Amino acid sequence: MAISHNQWLLKQRLVDLSVADNFKQALGEWTITGVEVSESGEPAQTCLCSHYPIREIFHIHNPSTHQTALIGNVCIQLFAKEDDAGSTCFQSAHKIIESIKKIRSDRSSSAGRELIAFAYRAKIISSWENGFYNDVWLKRRLSSAQKAIKTRINRKMLFGVRQIAYRIDEVFWKINADRTASANPQTIETARSKGLFQEHESRFYLDIWAKSWDSLTLAQQRWKLALNHKITSTPEVFDRTLTEEGESALTGAQRQRVV
């Protein structure tokens, strides 16, 4: 069966960013690191296949080549069809998007198991929250307390699946513009590995990073601000595009996206 020019371009570009020299083998090198469903009025993105605009966006990463790419919802389904290894992330990608749209329109509804599993693997929700959600997932009647917890976890997942994909340099500029913004797990781990965060500070931030600012206690807010100050005070660690003059090479469009 003939493939479109965009599909051919997608396959060629993915192979170019991979170690393997054929598309099917290259697929096994990539994982989904984040998911976005653009809100009305937000700028659209361009798929690796060159299609524009895309508003249902998968961020993918290749740990072997350290490359990243943006893939639209249509192309990610092509990944699922051609993934002979049956990669969980690609096979469940469409259901993750549908689940995000569902709980975004109704915060009290139930997320799909695919989204719950992705959020847990990405450290967006805790082990307890994962267990709680799976325990109540099929229950039709929940107590007021259970409904409130479920809604809170839904909000956390909606926030987290977008933030998880940002590169550490993007996170740096995001926090630099808004000191109440959250670092994501990759940035927190970088801070710990570079000795900027102590172990207990890293654990604290990982526990609260996907929580909204208003949901934090005053003490937690102060601690988060102090840790964010450590991040913004060390741009040489977090902004990988920093030049010798201290100016970022990020484009205006990129800064607008993260701010």
Side-chain angles (χ1 to χ4, degrees), residues 13-30:
R13 287 177 173 175
L14 191 82
V15 170
D16 289 343
L17 297 173
S18 306
V19 175
D21 59 4
N22 69 81
F23 179 67
K24 288 192 175 183
Q25 288 184 354
L27 276 179
E29 300 174 21
W30 293 81

Side-chain angles (χ1 to χ4, degrees), residues 91-137:
Q91 297 296 336
S92 61
H94 181 68
K95 291 183 178 180
I96 291 174
I97 281 283
E98 292 304 311
S99 188
I100 289 172
K101 292 192 289 187
K102 178 184 177 183
I103 64 173
R104 193 173 70 176
S105 64
D106 180 3
R107 299 291 196 274
S108 65
S109 63
S110 290
R113 290 197 183 275
E114 295 81 8
L115 175 58
I116 299 167
F118 175 78
Y120 178 58
R121 289 195 304 271
K123 299 181 180 178
I124 295 168
I125 61 175
S126 67
S127 177
W128 184 88
E129 289 169 327
N130 179 61
F132 169 84
Y133 214 127
N134 280 290
D135 284 344
V136 304
W137 190 69

Side-chain angles (χ1 to χ4, degrees), residues 66 68 163-177 182-184 186-188 190-191 231-232 234-243 247-251 254-259:
H66 306 290
T68 61
Q163 300 298 317
I164 196 73
Y166 287 130
R167 301 191 315 263
I168 61 172
D169 55 327
E170 292 179 310
V171 172
F172 169 82
W173 284 107
K174 191 174 191 298
I175 295 174
N176 199 51
S182 284
N184 59 15
Q186 298 97 304
T187 309
I188 297 166
T190 298
I231 292 174
T232 57
T234 52
E236 67 277 5
V237 172
F238 297 98
D239 188 359
R240 66 185 181 187
T241 62
L242 204 66
T243 66
E247 294 295 329
S248 172
L250 286 175
T251 67
Q254 285 174 312
R255 289 197 189 190
Q256 182 181 19
R257 172 174 174 256
V258 300
V259 173

Side-chain angles (χ1 to χ4, degrees), residues 152 156 179-182 204-225 228:
R152 174 176 58 78
K156 201 174 176 183
R179 298 303 169 90
T180 67
S182 284
F204 163 77
Y205 213 144
L206 286 172
D207 284 342
I208 61 94
W209 79 273
K211 295 180 179 179
S212 67
W213 176 258
D214 292 339
S215 70
L216 301 178
T217 66
L218 184 59
Q220 289 173 328
Q221 289 177 350
R222 287 173 175 169
W223 199 357
K224 180 179 178 181
L225 287 175
N228 280 351

Side-chain angles (χ1 to χ4, degrees), residues 53-72:
I54 54 170
R55 298 195 176 277
E56 298 178 2
I57 307 152
F58 291 88
H59 296 251
I60 63 173
H61 174 247
N62 186 323
S64 298
T65 61
H66 306 290
Q67 297 289 337
T68 61
L70 299 181
I71 307 294

